[in-house]
Amino acid sequence: MKRLPLRKFSLVSLRDLLVAVAPTAVLVLAACIVAYIVVDPAPPRHVILATGQENSAYEEFGRKYATILARDGIKVESQRSLGSEDNLQRLIDGKADIAFVQSGSTSEAQAERRGLVSLGSLFTEPVWLFLRERDAHGRKVDVQSLVQLKGLRINLGPEGTGVPKLFRQILAVNGLEPRQLRISALENTPATVELLAGRIDGLVFSSAPEAPLIQMLLQTPGIRLFNFRQAEAYTRRLPFLTHVVLPRGIVDLGRDIPAQDFHLIAPTATLVARDDLHPALIDLFVKAATEIHGGTGWFQQQGQFPSPRYTEIPVAREAAKYYRDGPPFLQRYLSFWLANLFDRLWVVVVALAALIIPLSKIVPPLYVWRIRSRVYRWYGELRAVEQALENAKDEHRDEAQAELLRRLDGIEQRVNHISIPLAYADALYGLRSHINFVRQRVRVTLGPKSAA
C-alpha cells in the first residue's frame, strides 16, 4: 500500500477556508457598498457661496474661502449678489448652498421655518456713514447727529444689500422718516463715484473694514466718517447691534488716520447655510472660518471670531460641536477625504454588525463540511462495490473478484492523493481502513469455496 506523503498535510486548508468565507464576505461587502452609497453619501465637490457686490468685503472673503477649500478638492463657486438680503433669498430659493448674512436679517423662527442654519458669526461689519465735508456749493457740512441728515442726498444701496432695511431701523429710533432724506439706491462702486463727484452728500455701507472701498474712503481728503457718539444707546434699542470703536491711527499710524477714535454701531456677519449642507462640508467651512477670521482685527481680539454667539439663526449641530471640541479627531491627522471615508465606514460597520455576527457562524460548519466531504464521498464508491459483491454470480466468481479488487485499488489510489488538514486525518485513516475491510470481504466472499 502506498504511503501518503506527509507534505500533503497542513494544519489549515486555506483554499477551503477561503471558499467557506467567500459567501459571507461577498454579502457583507455588498451590504457595505450599498450602505456607503445610500445611507451616508460622500460630500459634494462643488459648493455655491453667495458673497456680495463687487469690491465688497464679502467678495474678498469669498475668494479666501475658495482658496482654502480648494486644498481639499472642494470647488467653491463665489456668486456675486447685492448683499445680505439677496443672499438670504438665494438660500431660501436653493440658488446657493451657503452665504454671508448680516445679523438682524431674519428671526430664529423664520430661519427654522426656511431650513437655514448658522455656521457661526465671523466678524462685525460696522455701519459706515461717509459724508462730504462740503456740499456742491462749497459750504461746509457739519453733521453731528442723524437728525441733521434731513434733506441731504444719501445713498443706501439696493434693497438686497440689507443696508436700507438696517438704516431705516436706525432712522426710526431717531424719529426720522426715510422720506425726510433724499435717498438713492446705487450699488457701492457707482455710489462712491457719485460721492467723490459731489452729486450725493453721503453714502452708507455696512461692511468689514477690509473692503477696498472702505479703505479708500477712510483716506480720501474731503470725505468724513460719521461718529456715532450714542453708539451704546443704539445697542440697547437694537439688540442685534454691537458698539465698536475705530481706534485713532488704525488706518495709518504715520499720518494719524483717523485723527480721533470713532464710535460705530455694527451688526455681525454670519455664515449661513441650508440645513441639508453635508456635515463634512460644515466642518471644512468652520475650519476655514477659523483660519480667515480667527486673528486680531480692527474690531476684534485674537480668537473672538468665528463664534457660535452673536447670531439669531440656530447654529448647526456639527458647527457647535466643532466650536466646543475642535476639529474631528480623524481630520487632525488625516486628509479630509481619507478622514471622511473612515468616518463613514465605521458607521457602516456598526450598522452591519447584526449581519456580520450571524453570518460568521456559518463559516466553521461550512469549512468542516468541505473538508469531510472529500472523505465521505468515497463511501458511496465503497457502497457501490459492496452492492456489486452481493450481486455477483457463482459461475463468474473469479472475474467478479478481480474486477472488484481493481475497483478498490483504484479507490485507494485516489484516496491516497487526497490533501487534508492534520486535524481531520482520522477520517482519512478511517476511510483507508474501511477500504481494506471491503477488500477482505471481497476476497472471503468470492475466494475459493474451501476458503469460505
Side-chain angles (χ1 to χ4, degrees), residues 264-278:
L264 303 175
I265 53 177
T268 304
T270 305
L271 198 58
V272 178
R274 295 169 56 83
D275 59 8
D276 57 359
L277 185 67
H278 196 285

Side-chain angles (χ1 to χ4, degrees), residues 278-346:
H278 196 285
L281 291 183
I282 292 179
D283 288 335
L284 273 188
F285 269 98
V286 176
K287 179 181 177 182
T290 302
E291 182 175 341
I292 295 171
H293 309 289
T296 57
W298 285 10
F299 305 109
Q300 68 192 54
Q301 299 175 345
Q302 179 79 27
Q304 181 180 353
F305 291 103
S307 170
R309 298 179 296 166
Y310 316 118
T311 173
E312 67 275 17
I313 300 174
V315 178
R317 179 172 55 86
E318 294 80 6
K321 185 175 184 298
Y322 191 103
Y323 289 119
R324 185 178 65 251
D325 303 327
F329 177 77
L330 292 176
Q331 288 189 26
R332 300 176 191 177
Y333 307 101
L334 302 174
S335 67
F336 168 72
W337 290 102
L338 190 58
N340 179 255
L341 175 64
F342 287 147
D343 189 51
R344 296 166 66 203
L345 281 181
W346 82 260

Side-chain angles (χ1 to χ4, degrees), residues 76-326:
V76 177
E77 179 185 341
S78 293
Q79 193 177 77
R80 278 183 182 172
S81 67
L82 294 175
S84 178
E85 291 288 331
D86 189 18
N87 287 350
L88 193 61
Q89 192 60 48
R90 287 170 188 258
L91 288 173
I92 296 170
D93 295 340
K95 296 179 180 178
D97 303 302
I98 191 167
F100 298 112
V101 176
Q102 198 175 77
S103 63
S105 300
T106 186
S107 66
E108 180 177 353
Q110 288 176 327
E112 290 180 343
R113 187 168 60 252
R114 294 167 173 176
L116 303 178
V117 293
S118 169
L119 274 60
S121 52
L122 307 177
F123 52 87
T124 53
E125 39 183 1
V127 176
W128 308 87
L129 172 56
F130 289 101
L131 298 166
R132 292 185 59 82
E133 292 183 344
R134 297 184 179 277
D135 62 16
H137 303 289
R139 293 173 297 194
K140 186 174 182 181
V141 178
D142 186 18
V143 177
Q144 300 296 326
S145 171
L146 289 185
V147 296
Q148 295 176 282
L149 295 178
K150 293 180 181 179
L152 295 184
R153 298 164 297 178
I154 305 296
N155 184 80
L156 301 184
E159 287 295 329
T161 61
V163 174
K165 175 182 177 181
L166 171 62
F167 203 70
R168 282 195 294 268
Q169 293 174 287
I170 294 173
L171 291 176
V173 297
N174 283 274
L176 291 174
E177 295 288 339
R179 57 183 174 80
Q180 295 177 280
L181 284 67
R182 296 160 62 187
I183 292 175
S184 58
L186 298 173
E187 293 188 15
N188 291 346
T189 300
T192 302
V193 173
E194 293 296 293
L195 179 68
L196 296 177
R199 289 186 283 271
I200 60 175
D201 299 307
L203 57 81
V204 181
F205 292 150
S206 180
S207 173
E210 287 84 356
L213 292 178
I214 302 291
Q215 293 283 331
M216 181 193 73
L217 290 173
L218 286 172
Q219 303 179 64
T220 302
I223 302 299
R224 184 171 63 87
L225 177 64
F226 179 78
N227 190 6
F228 286 86
R229 293 182 174 86
Q230 300 166 305
E232 197 61 34
Y234 280 104
T235 64
R236 300 291 195 276
R237 299 291 298 274
L238 301 172
F240 60 87
L241 296 177
T242 56
H243 174 199
V244 296
V245 177
L246 182 70
R248 175 176 180 173
I250 188 67
V251 177
D252 191 321
L253 284 169
R255 293 187 293 165
D256 195 25
I257 301 176
Q260 66 176 74
D261 289 347
F262 278 85
H263 297 271
L264 303 175
I265 53 177
T268 304
T270 305
L271 198 58
V272 178
R274 295 169 56 83
D275 59 8
D276 57 359
L277 185 67
H278 196 285
L281 291 183
I282 292 179
D283 288 335
L284 273 188
F285 269 98
V286 176
K287 179 181 177 182
T290 302
E291 182 175 341
I292 295 171
H293 309 289
T296 57
W298 285 10
F299 305 109
Q300 68 192 54
Q301 299 175 345
Q302 179 79 27
Q304 181 180 353
F305 291 103
S307 170
R309 298 179 296 166
Y310 316 118
T311 173
E312 67 275 17
I313 300 174
V315 178
R317 179 172 55 86
E318 294 80 6
K321 185 175 184 298
Y322 191 103
Y323 289 119
R324 185 178 65 251
D325 303 327

